[in-house]
Amino acid sequence: MSAIPQKATGEIHIRGGVRLQGKVKVQGSKNAALPILAATILAEGESFLKDCPKISDVYRMLRLLQSLGGHVCWEGEGVCVSTGSITTRDMPADAITGMRSSLCLLGALLARCGSIVMEYPGGCVIGKRPIDLHLRALEQMGVCFSEEGDRICGRAPEGLRGAEIHLAMPSVGATENILLAAVTARGCTRIEGAAREPEVEALCRYLNACGARIDGVGTSCLEIQGVRRLHGAAYRIPADRIVAGTYLYAALGTRGCVLLEQAPSQHMHGVIRMAERMGALCQVTGEGLYVQSLGELTAPGMVRTGVYPGFPTDMQSVVLAVSTMAEGETRIEELIFENRFRVAGPLRQMGAEIRQTGPHNLWVGGGARLRGQRVEACELRGGAALVVAGLMAEGETVVTGCEYIERGYENICKDLRELGARIYSV
């Protein structure tokens, strides 16, 4: 495939006041697909990734793989990737700076080619997210780093070697980069304090399917025995727990009743418990996750984000939106990112009572009557939260800046229309 499709949604129009009902299939996970796509660089032969989400961040990653000499082709319910002729030629700068997950290429290309030159990754306005944890860990494995303007230059003159690495915090990105560097490094690598997120587990399972030797999958201690080479594999991208959570709270906020097909409920305990506190009945079935509103919305009280298995920061904005109409006060403490409250301003435009009480704290009055307004999405999860607010609001809401939403949702309008929402994009 020579061209990666790109969507160009400008605005989402929502007429609120409809209870969501019906069923919808949850798409493949953005945060699992991107590092797995980077991992295909290490595999000889072809990999088929079923349920890979067709979102703009995935299109950017596929474009990067093509720029390096890889071949990609959408086939049916997935994408085929072959990276037999990978080189370290220049990658498109806009694709690198357009998304944070391009940083996964650091470990993969160092393992495959022994060197890398790339722009500092971007794509995120919710916090600083420094990459020093990544660089320090890779330095322990034999990489020398330098800077050329806005570019990172890395090389491993004697090849990558195993190391004992203790992460000061369980960074998902750093854990993934170490894994990608370690699977074909000489010797054994041990990661203490590794991130336990389901997306890290998915990366480990894909790599093991390709012939890697990773023990401790799903725990905070990972042990990787380097192998000489990896082969391609077929792998199903797990369902997106954040998309599932978004639709769960949209159903709750509209007093609806929905079945989220293939929702990864085993990885959604914190999200489900919070919804039940707010008035949802949640039942895990053979088809997925059934969600029904039991009536009035109740404020959750305290919402505190944390690393997995804590309440995910990516769900905080959506819970904030629903909490504005719940009876009672809500306090939100954001412990992961320092700039995650940008959605509070647009929600205030819609009639929400929200006060910032500290650098990482919000107070929500609850009981608001949201009114449709023209509001702007400034980041991915905040944009999804504004869509959910529009579903709950009186009148019409127009959400602009929808290129952010397309980074993580295949077609949020189509999915919500399947549940009865009056929503369309232009």
Side-chain angles (χ1 to χ4, degrees), residues 218-235:
T219 75
S220 60
C221 179
L222 296 173
E223 191 166 296
I224 309 103
Q225 183 64 50
V227 299
R228 289 187 63 187
R229 59 176 58 88
L230 301 180
H231 54 77
Y235 184 79

Side-chain angles (χ1 to χ4, degrees), residues 186-261:
R186 297 192 312 275
C188 180
T189 298
R190 185 179 178 89
I191 311 173
E192 295 281 358
R196 296 169 52 198
E197 269 72 2
E199 296 78 21
V200 173
E201 182 178 340
L203 175 61
C204 290
R205 297 198 183 283
Y206 167 74
L207 288 168
N208 279 346
C210 294
R213 294 172 57 188
I214 306 171
D215 291 321
V217 176
T219 75
S220 60
C221 179
L222 296 173
E223 191 166 296
I224 309 103
Q225 183 64 50
V227 299
R228 289 187 63 187
R229 59 176 58 88
L230 301 180
H231 54 77
Y235 184 79
R236 181 191 291 270
I237 302 295
D240 196 307
R241 61 192 175 108
I242 305 303
V243 171
T246 302
Y247 297 164
L248 186 166
Y249 281 92
L252 176 60
T254 61
R255 314 318 200 262
C257 174
V258 305
L259 174 64
L260 302 172
E261 294 182 300

Side-chain angles (χ1 to χ4, degrees), residues 86-99:
I86 289 291
T87 66
T88 53
R89 70 181 91 178
D90 284 346
M91 294 173 279
D94 61 321
I96 292 285
T97 58
M99 64 173 180

